[in-house]
Structures are given as structure tokens and as C-alpha cells.
Amino acid sequence: MKYKHLEFWLTWNNNVEKLRLPVIPPKIAVKIGHSYIDIDLVAIGEATIIGESTLEEYSFSTFWPETYDPGFCEYDGFPSPEEFVETLKRWKNSGYPIRFTVTGSEINAAVTIRDFSYEWDGFDIDFKLALKEYRFVTIESTEVSIPFQTTGKGKRPDTRKAKVSATKKKEEKKSLVDKYNSR
């Protein structure tokens, strides 16, 4: 059987920060889907409309050891389990995607951390990680020019109440109101 050397990498901020898993997971689950819409049509019955591909999902479980053991560790000099957990939490809460790469495979994708659970025995950390592909979306703004259109009916009527002074005589008040209403 041909041996394939794999390395599992998690990187953040265009490789400014990197984590290489010291223990290769025994297997990785990859979910590849497609979107569909099922509709009911009169006289035909149920029909399916095929949509676009959904984002890929990756999940695996392994452990992060406290100390190097050549029996199961791929390399030496990795961060402590506590540093690993804190780094993943910080990356998850940063609001930015990370990159998940498995060398020797076709997996190299920007992803979001969907689920990270772990158990700690005081030394090693057993963990499960679920990642989902991240699609970069750019929205371009466009300037729209809409000319102002009038109805052609002239000015809008003034619907405010007339201000009448209490010091004016009754006849003057009435003539002011009539004058105002005749506008």
C-alpha cells in the first residue's frame, strides 16, 4: 500500500498565525451537498428544481497532546493544549474565516468554525472540530440617478390652521379667516 503523508493545517489572517495538528485524525468526514426546491404543480404533481451547490462541510476528531510522543505525534514543538484551545476560540470569535488545508489532498478552503468541543483530562485534549466552507462575497455599489417627477398639479395646498390674534375684533378675525381660506 502506498503511504500518503498528510498534514492538517489551520491558519488565520493569511498565514499570520498557524496551527498544525500534531496528531493526524484517523478519518475526516466531508459533506458535499446541493440545494433543491420541491414544488407541487397543478396537473403534474411534485417536481424538483435543482439549485446551486451548497458549501462543503468538514468534521474530524483527534487529540492534542501535552507532550511529544514519537508514537503518534507528527512533529515536536507544538503549543500546549491550553494554547491550542485559546487560539481556536480567538479565531472563532474574530469574525473572520480561517483556512483549512490537508496536504496530500484537495482540501484547501476558507472555512468558519461551526462547532468546537473538547474534553480535557488535565494533560491532553480530545476534541471534535466541525468546519464549513466560507464563500467570499463582494457587493458592488452602483450610482442610480432617478429624475424628480412632479404630478403637474401645481403647489401642494396649505392645510395648516390660520393663526388668529385674540386682540383683533370679531369682524377682523372673520375677514382674516376668510382671506386665509380663499388661498
Side-chain angles (χ1 to χ4, degrees):
M1 183 162 79
K2 189 175 181 181
Y3 176 74
K4 187 183 269 190
H5 180 73
L6 301 176
E7 293 178 2
F8 280 61
W9 287 91
L10 299 169
T11 62
W12 182 77
N13 196 14
N14 289 324
N15 291 329
V16 170
E17 293 184 53
K18 302 176 188 182
L19 285 173
R20 179 180 167 198
L21 301 186
V23 179
I24 299 289
K27 59 185 172 182
I28 180 171
V30 180
K31 181 180 175 186
I32 301 169
H34 215 84
S35 64
Y36 301 95
I37 299 172
D38 294 327
I39 58 173
D40 287 322
L41 300 172
V42 177
I44 294 176
E46 187 177 33
T48 298
I49 297 174
I50 299 173
E52 298 295 323
S53 294
T54 58
L55 301 173
E56 291 185 13
E57 297 178 39
Y58 310 96
S59 60
F60 57 88
S61 61
T62 187
F63 72 100
W64 195 280
E66 175 73 26
T67 58
Y68 173 75
D69 182 333
F72 48 80
C73 292
E74 292 290 310
Y75 70 100
D76 192 9
F78 45 84
S80 71
E82 295 86 357
E83 289 175 288
F84 165 69
V85 169
E86 289 307 312
T87 300
L88 273 188
K89 283 181 182 179
R90 186 170 38 80
W91 289 357
K92 183 180 184 319
N93 295 328
S94 73
Y96 295 103
I98 65 172
R99 181 154 300 274
F100 175 53
T101 307
V102 180
T103 62
S105 78
E106 293 187 14
I107 298 173
N108 182 359
V111 296
T112 54
I113 299 171
R114 292 304 176 108
D115 186 47
F116 174 55
S117 58
Y118 65 93
E119 294 179 1
W120 184 48
D121 64 6
F123 299 99
D124 301 336
I125 289 182
D126 294 319
F127 70 93
K128 294 178 185 176
L129 190 59
L131 308 168
K132 188 168 185 176
E133 183 181 10
Y134 178 81
R135 185 171 293 149
F136 291 92
V137 178
T138 55
I139 299 173
E140 295 180 19
S141 63
T142 305
E143 207 171 296
V144 178
S145 176
I146 300 174
F148 180 73
Q149 297 177 359
T150 61
T151 60
K153 295 182 180 178
K155 289 186 176 180
R156 185 174 164 183
D158 188 354
T159 57
R160 295 179 289 179
K161 298 280 183 194
K163 292 182 183 176
V164 180
S165 171
T167 59
K168 305 236 182 223
K169 294 181 182 172
K170 220 177 197 180
E171 298 83 32
E172 289 178 7
K173 288 181 189 177
K174 189 175 180 183
S175 70
L176 285 173
V177 171
D178 292 339
K179 185 177 176 182
Y180 180 82
N181 286 335
S182 66
R183 283 202 240 169

